[in-house]
Amino acid sequence: EDKVVQSPLSLVVHEGDTVTLNCSYEVTNFRSLLWYKQEKKAPTFLFMLTSSGIEKKSGRLSSILDKKELFSILNITATQTGDSAIYLCAVGTGNQFYFGTGTSLTVIP
Amino acid sequence: DGGITQSPKYLFRKEGQNVTLSCEQNLNHDAMYWYRQDPGQGLRLIYYSQIVNDFQKGDIAEGYSVSREKKESFPLTVTSAQKNPTAFYLCASKPTGGNEQYFGPGTRLTVT
């Protein structure tokens, strides 16, 4: 059975902290792994990863994929209150996308 | 403007009534998807369609129906057979050969 598991389920940090969110998967016909940010509405796209070992970076956010160990991490440095959201990981197979349950991040001032 | 639209944003219905959620895209994408999200949970796939006049069940299709008569449109009907219909419903699309999904703004359905 295809599945995507995210950890931790929730996280509370102080502004300025660095956080690492984890996503592991067991999916046949892997094509891509995507990270989304969701703030009480539709998910917004952050990164798409298809190759191992190549870091994707956007400002304070970065992500990397390990296709051998079947996981990805999303790093957020110098967190701000605006980073508070649910972060979703999804794995695409070409036909479907399998989503994890998400990590709820709360950043307190 | 290219994108995916869902309407309405909020929908209230009485138990026992069927309700249809709209999803339209002008991105010329072949594949379209319907997901359901419950509080504190990830997205669960209801139905998806790779091409006009064809669609497949996802993990939680019971109590739902769809149609795909046009490339641009993929409406979802929540029937009275769906036991717990109150949820946030998201529509998405994907271009052929692409690996990224694009989401609509969602419809929050409340059934009382």
Side-chain angles (χ1 to χ4, degrees):
Chain A
E1 183 187 336
D2 296 315
K3 64 179 179 180
V4 177
V5 178
Q6 292 186 246
S7 64
L9 289 181
S10 65
L11 199 51
V12 180
V13 301
H14 288 94
E15 260 191 325
D17 288 350
T18 293
V19 298
T20 298
L21 311 183
N22 303 294
C23 175
S24 64
Y25 62 92
E26 292 178 30
V27 175
T28 54
N29 298 318
F30 173 94
R31 289 276 187 93
S32 59
L33 186 144
L34 298 97
W35 284 97
Y36 291 90
K37 178 182 181 182
Q38 187 178 27
E39 300 170 272
K40 296 190 192 308
K41 50 183 179 175
T44 54
F45 172 78
L46 294 175
F47 297 111
M48 182 173 70
L49 302 145
T50 55
S51 301
S52 277
I54 299 174
E55 185 184 53
K56 293 282 184 90
K57 197 169 170 65
S58 176
R60 296 176 294 104
L61 278 68
S62 64
S63 182
I64 198 159
L65 172 68
D66 186 329
K67 288 170 75 173
K68 184 179 176 186
E69 301 297 330
L70 308 182
F71 78 91
S72 173
I73 60 171
L74 174 68
N75 279 322
I76 308 175
T77 59
T79 51
Q80 303 171 355
T81 54
D83 294 327
S84 295
I86 295 174
Y87 290 83
L88 295 168
C89 172
V91 174
T93 65
N95 288 337
Q96 291 191 46
F97 292 84
Y98 295 91
F99 282 80
T101 54
T103 292
S104 176
L105 174 64
T106 303
V107 181
I108 53 179
Chain B
D1 263 37
I4 304 174
T5 57
Q6 291 184 244
S7 60
K9 190 173 180 179
Y10 298 96
L11 190 54
F12 298 88
R13 279 293 182 270
K14 294 288 187 188
E15 202 172 304
Q17 292 179 331
N18 290 358
V19 59
T20 297
L21 311 185
S22 165
C23 177
E24 305 277 331
Q25 54 100 0
N26 60 6
L27 301 167
N28 200 35
H29 289 174
D30 284 310
M32 296 186 75
Y33 305 79
W34 273 106
Y35 294 93
R36 168 185 173 136
Q37 187 176 34
D38 294 283
Q41 297 198 26
L43 278 61
R44 292 186 289 168
L45 182 65
I46 305 172
Y47 269 97
Y48 67 101
S49 168
Q50 299 283 91
I51 198 168
V52 173
N53 292 323
D54 188 42
F55 47 83
Q56 287 77 41
K57 293 182 179 180
D59 298 324
I60 55 166
E62 187 176 346
Y64 299 97
S65 66
V66 293
S67 63
R68 186 87 187 275
E69 296 176 4
K70 297 187 300 181
K71 188 174 187 177
E72 301 79 21
S73 178
F74 191 39
L76 173 75
T77 297
V78 185
T79 75
S80 56
Q82 168 49 234
K83 299 300 178 197
N84 297 296
T86 295
F88 185 48
Y89 290 87
L90 284 159
C91 178
S93 70
K94 183 179 81 70
T96 302
N99 292 316
E100 182 185 334
Q101 278 191 324
Y102 298 79
F103 283 91
T107 292
R108 199 167 293 277
L109 173 66
T110 303
V111 176
T112 56

